[in-house]
Amino acid sequence: SLARRVASTDVTVFINGPTGSGKEVLANYLHENSNRKEEPFVAVNCAAIPENMLEAILFGHEKGAFTGASNANKGIFRAADKGTLLLDEISEMPLSLQAKLVRVLATSNRDMAYEVNQSRFREDLYYRLNVFPLQTRNLSSRKDDILPISIKILDKHNNESKTMPYITSDARELLSSHNWPGNVRELENTLQRALVLCKDNIIDGKSIMIDKSLSNITENSSVDSFADQLAFAKVT
């Protein structure tokens, strides 16, 4: 509701939340519900680009400006002109570049007040970005969302069949009871496996193979391999 209201304005939005909880999905929602929706939506992951290339990618460069620059590039900011620019995981951006930013959508999975306090993020940029904060939550704290999101994921990946797979009651129970430390990304991985394993277009408990590697490892346990932690979940 808040995202829909702010989408109609040009207010800078800062989206904070755990990894895999839907920050980029929310950014797309903002763009699609804004008066910029017919213009480009450009997303750049600040953590995935080497520091020495990030400035050139953001602001553009001339041919020959650095080794490998065989062509001029107008940069992501100009590519997103009149549209929406998302700086994903902006907390990974070097301090030297933070001072050069303009109005954007930005996301982070870190505690930004703590990052500012530790001098890893510019205080002035934090206040420029944090005009309208939006917070995403862990999937475990919104259990009622799990099945609707599952249906959306299955529809997304069920390209080969026109019929939506049926999720049995035991499969629904497994999906609803797991704490999903990897949030929606983990849920999507699990459902993609289910589409491979299910028979007759029916996803039952035996089709739900949950990765226990993060939720079940204790200090005294040993893990021989990733495969050892993948098990067919059973109804308890």
Side-chain angles (χ1 to χ4, degrees):
S1 176
L2 287 172
R4 188 166 56 249
R5 291 174 65 181
V6 75
S8 62
T9 74
D10 279 331
V11 169
T12 299
V13 179
F14 185 68
I15 306 169
N16 190 250
T19 297
S21 60
K23 296 186 295 295
E24 188 169 351
V25 173
L26 192 56
N28 271 282
Y29 180 85
L30 285 164
H31 178 71
E32 291 299 324
N33 286 273
S34 74
N35 57 9
R36 300 168 177 263
K37 63 183 179 181
E38 302 301 327
E39 302 295 338
F41 175 86
V42 181
V44 55
N45 188 330
C46 298
I49 301 173
E51 182 176 340
N52 62 341
M53 294 180 60
L54 186 56
E55 182 169 7
I57 289 173
L58 290 175
F59 301 108
H61 59 78
E62 298 299 325
K63 180 179 179 180
F66 54 88
T67 302
S70 56
N71 296 293
N73 189 297
K74 65 180 181 179
I76 288 174
F77 273 92
R78 281 187 285 175
D81 186 31
K82 298 182 179 63
T84 301
L85 174 63
L86 169 64
L87 295 179
D88 199 11
E89 302 303 347
I90 195 173
S91 51
E92 305 296 329
M93 178 176 287
L95 282 167
S96 59
L97 283 184
Q98 292 176 16
K100 301 180 180 181
L101 295 185
V102 293
R103 178 181 292 157
V104 293
L105 299 181
T107 76
S108 178
N109 60 9
R110 297 190 183 188
D111 181 336
M112 295 307 296
Y114 179 78
E115 294 297 307
V116 170
N117 186 55
Q118 296 297 307
S119 300
R120 290 195 289 261
F121 199 82
R122 292 177 60 97
E123 184 175 7
D124 60 334
L125 179 58
Y126 171 72
Y127 286 115
R128 284 161 59 194
L129 291 173
N130 204 40
V131 177
F132 199 97
L134 292 173
Q135 180 79 34
T136 59
R137 294 187 294 154
N138 285 308
L139 193 55
S140 60
S141 68
R142 43 192 177 108
K143 293 286 189 178
D144 290 344
D145 287 348
I146 292 175
L147 289 179
I149 291 174
S150 297
I151 297 299
K152 183 68 175 177
I153 290 172
L154 289 173
D155 183 57
K156 171 185 173 183
H157 291 287
N158 191 39
N159 297 325
E160 296 182 2
S161 174
K162 294 182 180 180
T163 305
M164 176 68 69
Y166 174 71
I167 307 176
T168 64
S169 58
D170 59 339
R172 292 197 297 270
E173 174 63 26
L174 286 169
L175 293 173
S176 298
S177 61
H178 184 53
N179 63 359
W180 302 111
N183 292 300
V184 178
R185 288 178 187 164
E186 182 188 1
L187 175 61
E188 183 166 17
N189 291 346
T190 300
L191 290 171
Q192 284 185 270
R193 288 193 287 266
L195 285 172
V196 174
L197 296 170
C198 72
K199 295 181 179 179
D200 300 322
N201 218 31
I202 297 175
I203 295 176
D204 58 15
K206 293 182 179 180
S207 306
I208 306 297
M209 191 169 68
I210 293 177
D211 177 4
K212 300 289 186 179
S213 57
L214 292 179
S215 54
N216 280 1
I217 292 178
T218 64
E219 292 182 1
N220 297 322
S221 66
S222 61
V223 181
D224 294 330
S225 69
F226 174 74
D228 292 336
Q229 293 299 318
L230 285 175
F232 287 99
K234 296 180 179 179
V235 179
T236 57

